[in-house]
Amino acid sequence: MSILIGSITVGLILALLALGVFITFKIFHFPDLTTEGSVTFGAAIAAALIIKGYSPALATLIAFFGGCLAGLVTGILHAVFKLNGLLSGILVMTALYSVNLHVMGKSNIPLLSEPTVISHFERYAAAGEEVNILGWLVPQKDLFILGFILLFTALTGTLLNAFFKTNLGVAMRAAGNNAQMIRALGANTKAYMIFCIALSNGLIALSGSLLAQFQGFADVQMGIGMVVWGLASVIIGEALINTKSVGFLIFGAVMGSVLFRLLVAIALQWGMNPNDLKLITAVFVFIALILPGLLTRLENRKKLKKLEYAED
Amino acid sequence: MLKIEGVYKTFNPGSANEVRALRGVSVTINPGDFVCVLGTNGSGKSTMLNAVAGAFPIDRGQITLHNTDLTKMPEHKRARYIGRVFQNPFSGTAPDMSIAENIALAARRGMKRGLSSALSVKKRAQFTEPVRQLNMDLEGRLDNPIGKLSGGQRQALTLLMATWIKPQLLLLDEHTAALDPKTAARVIELTKQIVEKDRLTTLMVTHSMQQAVNLGNRILMLHNGKIAYDLKESDKKHIRVNDLLALFDEIRRKDQMDESVAQMIKKQYI
Ligand SMILES: Nc1ncnc2c1ncn2[C@@H]1O[C@H](COP(=O)(O)OP(=O)(O)O)[C@@H](O)[C@H]1O
Ligand SMILES: [Mg+2]
């Protein structure tokens, strides 16, 4: 049960990353590799500031803006200097690797004995107290942490949804959907795209900073495979929800992240080799990406057959 | 008043596929003019409209609209003054977004877009009536994605959206060319209504000479990136499709002559 709670908590933390990937990948059809660097960047900033004695909340906020800055650079490389989208992400991701090492000063910063936003909420729980959920005994502090993360992610999702329904937000969605149209209606699509890539990476860095504080360390390698992880969450969410409404898609991305984390936890319990995790995730995303196309082709073939019979 | 003065545009200059799309276009369009733009394929009609809309920088010349110099203004800033409908029905609307959201976008053409709700109940209520007047049974489907609609419905909506806020200039680029004849006729009828109601200054590219004869008060005929004929009010009134065909023939004849002259010169000098 404790593993379950832990998985849901990590799923909800990574849901912020999924929301970031949702913005770039679903709204702008832009597979942004900056993600791999900005997850770690967020973790690195938060960890470095916390061990220097800054308040964890402030450190987390600065991590968010750090991510925004990374995204800003990618956005400018892509929209202003017209570099290929993947290449822009790769360049910034690579540069961030060095930046992260500088920020951290070493490749790993342990946070277990430091105050973090997580430990802050832990304190509200009675130490050692356990709660009975359906016959399972769960440490009260785990539930408090889960509750905090749940609230935080729900709030972020709600704000994001509200934003994408404002005049500005709707125009940004249109910029991803049909740039020519919204430019003809007076929107600066380049600026919109840069803003969205920055916001996306801010959320991703925020996710990284919370993950570091939850797991008790920041590591320079922790971003590896995170793009595919985010894509998997978004894709699962889309399949679950099956609509184009932004609100539901945002909800779907959050649910997708939690579900995916749970699936992974279960697979690991069943004895899946953790080394295979990224391979399996990649294969999963590949299948999920080509499946819709395959299904429509199959369906069309069926329809065609019916047509031929009808003519006989 | 739209003033296009000595505008040149060459695509891919210096390369093998260099195209001199505009070669010194100068024309003044008066307020309230409804101009039909004719010309063979590749004569530069779209390029002229796109130059006015700011889709690309021009090489030389100047474009002004009511004393505002548009020449260096980026495309999205010109949108404040200009409404556009494209040839491709997919170009003018955001397919994954609802009809209401698309209209909400158009209702702020060229204005600041802030953090107020795009689709408040009050705003939505204002969308129904104009959509009903399109007579396309769309008023009950405001929340459906536009991508599910037919090309004709999308063009009608794009037209409505382009003129939602009265533009100082309306640019229509073969906006009925991709539609079946019946739908095209509906959209043309709608165009006429909308343009006449607000006396919109309009440039309409069309490949249909019948449309050019029936609509508007002026005809521009483009050829090889230049304006070959400019038929104003009095000339335009009496013009028939046959007259236009004759003009086209004349252009073609001149072209051939140029061709033979060019060959003669080649023979003599090469
Ligand atoms: N963006 C572009 N890049 C390169 N060539 C272009 C571009 N737009 C138009 N052209 C070329 O310019 C010429 C004029 O095109 P256009 O203005 O679209 O003609 P039309 O009168 O048929 O609308 C054509 O030869 C076309 O191929
Ligand atoms: Mg054209």
Side-chain angles (χ1 to χ4, degrees):
Chain A
M1 193 66 195
S2 199
I3 291 178
L4 189 68
I5 302 272
S7 298
I8 296 177
T9 310
V10 173
L12 284 168
I13 291 175
L14 290 177
L16 296 170
L17 175 135
L19 289 177
V21 172
F22 165 80
I23 294 174
T24 43
F25 186 66
K26 286 316 289 186
I27 294 187
F28 278 94
H29 315 285
F30 178 74
D32 180 16
L33 293 185
T34 319
T35 307
E36 310 241 324
S38 49
V39 175
T40 319
F41 194 33
I45 293 174
L49 289 177
I50 286 172
I51 56 170
K52 283 218 175 76
Y54 282 81
S55 107
L58 182 65
T60 308
L61 189 70
I62 295 176
F64 169 78
F65 286 114
C68 290
L69 197 66
L72 188 73
V73 175
T74 305
I76 289 175
L77 289 188
H78 180 50
V80 179
F81 293 103
K82 306 224 166 19
L83 281 195
N84 166 288
L86 284 174
L87 189 58
S88 313
I90 290 173
L91 287 180
V92 176
M93 170 188 85
T94 306
L96 276 178
Y97 192 85
S98 299
V99 173
N100 289 335
L101 278 172
H102 274 297
V103 170
M104 289 169 46
K106 49 188 172 179
S107 60
N108 188 297
I109 298 181
L111 289 171
L112 281 174
S113 52
E114 306 288 338
T116 62
V117 281
I118 305 290
S119 70
H120 178 77
F121 279 89
E122 238 171 43
R123 276 194 324 219
Y124 291 105
E129 198 78 14
E130 299 201 316
V131 184
N132 189 331
I133 304 178
L134 308 168
W136 301 81
L137 284 181
V138 182
Q140 202 184 41
K141 73 173 181 43
D142 287 5
L143 282 180
F144 267 71
I145 295 169
L146 175 63
F148 158 66
I149 296 291
L150 178 66
L151 260 173
F152 189 77
T153 304
L155 184 71
T156 311
T158 310
L159 281 177
L160 206 57
N161 176 41
F163 173 69
F164 281 121
K165 289 187 171 154
T166 62
N167 280 313
L168 186 62
V170 171
M172 287 193 177
R173 278 159 57 213
N177 199 214
N178 183 349
Q180 182 184 26
M181 168 258 192
I182 192 67
R183 230 179 292 127
L185 292 176
N188 185 346
T189 49
K190 269 187 208 164
Y192 284 6
M193 185 163 196
I194 295 173
F195 175 85
C196 280
I197 298 175
L199 177 64
S200 156
N201 280 287
L203 288 173
I204 291 165
L206 184 63
S207 173
S209 78
L210 289 176
L211 186 64
Q213 295 177 65
F214 177 75
Q215 66 188 11
F217 64 88
D219 190 283
V220 76
Q221 307 274 7
M222 67 192 276
I224 296 175
M226 283 299 188
V227 176
V228 175
W229 183 282
L231 289 178
S233 307
V234 170
I235 290 167
I236 294 178
E238 213 183 352
L240 283 178
I241 300 297
N242 194 23
T243 133
K244 286 198 190 305
S245 134
V246 221
F248 283 108
L249 282 175
I250 286 174
F251 181 66
V254 173
M255 293 314 290
S257 171
V258 173
L259 198 69
F260 194 52
R261 185 71 205 184
L262 282 174
L263 286 176
V264 168
I266 291 168
L268 289 173
Q269 283 276 298
W270 280 353
M272 183 182 81
N273 183 345
N275 290 342
D276 293 338
L277 182 58
K278 290 200 172 30
L279 173 64
I280 293 172
T281 313
V283 172
F284 169 82
V285 169
F286 168 70
I287 293 174
L289 285 176
I290 59 162
L291 204 59
L294 279 182
L295 286 179
T296 38
R297 237 197 280 170
L298 267 178
E299 224 167 83
N300 284 347
R301 209 173 289 168
K302 258 193 229 159
K303 280 183 201 157
L304 217 66
K305 272 206 183 124
K306 259 190 210 155
L307 264 177
E308 280 160 15
Y309 282 129
E311 276 183 9
D312 276 346
Chain B
M1 187 162 70
L2 172 71
K3 244 191 192 157
I4 304 177
E5 291 166 290
V7 169
Y8 285 78
K9 177 69 193 176
T10 301
F11 291 108
N12 314 313
S15 78
N17 38 8
E18 175 181 292
V19 182
R20 297 177 65 191
L22 295 181
R23 308 197 292 173
V25 172
S26 298
V27 64
T28 300
I29 313 288
N30 295 315
D33 267 1
F34 184 169
V35 183
C36 291
V37 183
L38 291 171
T40 46
N41 269 338
S43 57
K45 305 179 297 286
S46 299
T47 307
M48 182 172 85
L49 260 60
N50 289 336
V52 172
F56 43 72
I58 54 175
D59 305 339
R60 232 202 290 171
Q62 195 177 28
I63 300 170
T64 46
L65 183 64
H66 296 301
N67 300 326
T68 312
D69 188 356
L70 299 184
T71 317
K72 295 246 156 62
M73 197 183 279
E75 185 177 12
H76 67 268
K77 292 220 171 110
R78 298 189 201 190
R80 223 175 107 193
Y81 314 106
I82 300 175
R84 285 157 84 187
V85 183
F86 307 93
Q87 173 170 356
N88 184 343
F90 296 114
S91 298
T93 47
D96 291 344
M97 303 174 70
S98 68
I99 297 179
E101 281 174 327
N102 271 276
I103 296 178
L105 288 166
R108 298 198 70 80
R109 194 192 77 234
M111 294 198 265
K112 231 177 133 48
R113 297 171 197 271
L115 294 179
S116 55
S117 168
L119 278 181
S120 64
V121 180
K122 201 176 115 207
K123 269 189 231 165
R124 254 197 67 117
Q126 296 167 348
F127 296 169
T128 322
E129 198 42 44
V131 173
R132 190 197 311 282
Q133 281 172 15
L134 295 179
N135 266 326
M136 289 199 158
D137 269 335
L138 293 174
E139 58 274 13
R141 299 164 63 185
L142 288 185
D143 290 317
N144 291 24
I146 276 203
K148 293 263 191 289
L149 307 184
S150 70
Q153 290 171 323
R154 286 175 77 161
Q155 278 314 59
L157 278 170
T158 309
L159 189 61
L160 181 69
M161 283 161 56
T163 53
W164 195 274
I165 301 174
K166 187 180 164 186
Q168 289 182 15
L169 177 67
L170 179 62
L171 300 177
L172 310 169
D173 190 355
E174 300 205 45
H175 65 309
T176 61
L179 308 177
D180 64 82
K182 218 177 119 200
T183 318
R186 283 263 316 113
V187 173
I188 281 297
E189 186 48 41
L190 199 66
T191 308
K192 205 174 151 204
Q193 272 173 28
I194 289 178
V195 169
E196 280 175 2
K197 193 180 84 196
D198 281 333
R199 280 187 48 79
L200 296 175
T201 313
T202 305
L203 277 176
M204 179 177 92
V205 175
T206 174
H207 61 273
S208 154
M209 284 182 238
Q210 192 61 56
Q211 277 177 14
V213 166
N214 293 348
L215 292 172
N217 61 343
R218 189 166 168 189
I219 294 177
L220 287 181
M221 213 184 261
L222 260 69
H223 184 64
N224 269 343
K226 282 188 205 152
I227 291 175
Y229 293 100
D230 181 354
L231 308 171
K232 298 205 173 118
E233 200 93 53
S234 48
D235 302 327
K236 157 83 170 68
K237 238 180 234 153
H238 308 288
I239 208 132
R240 295 288 164 267
V241 170
N242 277 337
D243 306 327
L244 287 174
L245 282 172
L247 286 180
F248 265 107
D249 269 346
E250 204 177 309
I251 287 176
R252 220 166 285 148
R253 252 200 319 271
K254 272 190 197 160
D255 243 18
Q256 268 163 13
M257 210 167 74
D258 284 355
E259 194 77 10
S260 59
V261 170
Q263 255 161 25
M264 211 170 70
I265 292 173
K266 258 188 205 161
K267 261 185 207 153
Q268 282 181 355
Y269 290 89
I270 301 173

